[in-house]
Amino acid sequence: MPGAAALLTWLLATTLPRLGDEHLNPGEVGLLCVVIAWVWTWGTLVRIRRAHLDELGARALRLEREQHALAEAAAAEERARIAREMHDIVSHSLSVVVVMSEGAAATVDTAPERAREAMLRVRDTGRSALADMRTMLGVLRSPETGPHDPQPGIDRLPELVAESRAAGLPVQLTVDGDHAALSTGLEATVYRIVQEALTNTRRHAGPEVGRVEVAVRIDPGSVRVRIADDGQGPATAPTTAAPASAPAGTSTAGTSAAGNGFGLRGIRERVAASGGIVHAGPRPGGGFEVAAELPTDTRTEGERT
């Protein structure tokens, strides 16, 4: 623009004094001005088009990088989910098998019937774990997801408690409320929380544990899960921090970081993925407690608003 203005100024300054000459008339001056304006307009349009193309190229490159980052994040999240499922299946089943096998070996001479019952329970637990593993491997091999994914629910909690009781853990189960309206994923989260908490109790509560309470309360807006025992518990004290994405309407209690094992870490990850909060740590009167609160509306904050 400054160059075109300067050219027009020079043209007018040199031609206006000579408009009376026989070789120069106003029409020729006007034609020159039009040519200059046209050339300037054409150059401006070319410059704008080039800038637009450069911007489109840069935007396409940014989108490609963002898609690549999202794909990597989704793959990492899926790997973490599969790792949690595998850990829950293997650690729980193997811990039951080990405890009951030890009990059977200790009573095979003095109480063969009890040893036989224990080994039958080992057989059933192993078969159940193998079925879950086959289903999980089928999910890994299949490009499709959804119906093949193992999703145990709240209705299978009595089976889980029965396994723990058979392994010598005095578990009491209480379920308040109707879980029919809960999503399959939320029920699976509740099941896995209880499963991993009972596995940790068998590992860390010690032989003096006298009572383990499993309580699930289903309210219109949330599901509360609590697993508490009176055993010695792990030696690590909890640290508490509020989750950054805690949903509106839930408790302001923090997320405990007690323990560095994969079990409690998996529980925290599951609860965080559901938009809930969890506390895990020693009880004031002795023992250990895992308490989680999950919203029944598991949409993200952006979806809710």
Side-chain angles (χ1 to χ4, degrees):
M1 183 65 183
L7 181 60
L8 285 174
T9 301
W10 173 81
L11 178 64
L12 294 175
T14 55
T15 57
L16 286 177
R18 302 173 54 192
L19 285 179
D21 295 352
E22 58 180 5
H23 300 293
L24 188 64
N25 57 59
E28 293 175 342
V29 175
L31 178 61
L32 289 175
C33 292
V34 170
V35 170
I36 293 174
W38 179 83
V39 171
W40 172 82
T41 302
W42 178 78
T44 301
L45 292 176
V46 170
R47 177 176 56 81
I48 292 175
R49 182 175 181 276
R50 286 179 179 176
H52 180 64
L53 292 177
D54 292 341
E55 177 62 24
L56 289 178
R59 184 182 302 176
L61 182 60
R62 288 196 302 269
L63 289 176
E64 182 179 357
R65 290 175 179 174
E66 291 175 0
Q67 290 177 354
H68 182 68
L70 289 175
E72 289 185 345
E77 183 178 354
E78 184 66 11
R79 286 195 299 268
R81 185 190 69 83
I82 293 173
R84 289 195 299 268
E85 294 288 342
M86 299 288 284
H87 174 269
D88 291 342
I89 294 171
V90 174
S91 65
H92 171 75
S93 301
L94 286 183
S95 64
V96 171
V97 167
V98 169
V99 171
M100 299 195 69
S101 298
E102 290 176 347
T107 59
V108 66
D109 295 326
T110 59
E113 284 301 319
R114 290 181 57 188
R116 181 176 180 275
E117 292 177 1
M119 293 311 298
L120 289 176
R121 176 68 69 174
V122 168
R123 179 200 63 186
D124 295 339
T125 302
R127 287 178 176 175
S128 177
L130 284 175
D132 288 343
M133 291 290 289
R134 290 193 189 99
T135 306
M136 179 59 65
L137 292 176
V139 173
L140 293 177
R141 293 192 181 102
S142 174
E144 300 179 357
T145 58
H148 304 291
D149 199 0
Q151 294 291 325
I154 294 177
D155 56 346
R156 287 185 56 184
L157 287 179
E159 301 176 16
L160 192 63
V161 170
E163 288 182 358
S164 297
R165 288 174 182 167
L169 206 61
V171 184
Q172 299 294 327
L173 172 65
T174 303
V175 179
D176 294 328
D178 184 13
H179 62 87
L182 299 181
S183 66
T184 303
L186 186 58
E187 286 203 40
T189 299
V190 173
Y191 179 92
R192 294 303 187 191
I193 290 173
V194 175
Q195 183 183 52
E196 187 53 47
L198 291 178
T199 300
N200 285 343
T201 300
R202 283 194 297 272
R203 291 177 178 174
H204 304 296
E208 296 83 9
V209 60
R211 182 180 178 84
V212 181
E213 298 178 355
V214 177
V216 178
R217 181 178 179 84
I218 304 168
D219 295 322
S222 65
V223 179
R224 292 180 174 86
V225 187
R226 179 176 177 270
I227 305 93
D229 64 74
D230 57 0
Q232 64 184 21
T236 306
T239 57
T240 303
S245 59
T250 59
S251 170
T252 57
T255 301
S256 170
N260 295 319
F262 291 107
L264 292 179
R265 184 187 306 172
I267 289 176
R268 291 195 295 270
E269 291 174 352
R270 289 181 184 278
V271 173
S274 299
I277 52 177
V278 61
H279 170 82
R283 301 172 63 190
F288 198 81
E289 178 183 74
V290 175
E293 182 178 355
L294 310 170
T296 54
D297 182 5
T298 56
R299 294 174 298 170
T300 62
E301 287 295 325
E303 292 173 325
R304 281 194 289 267
T305 56

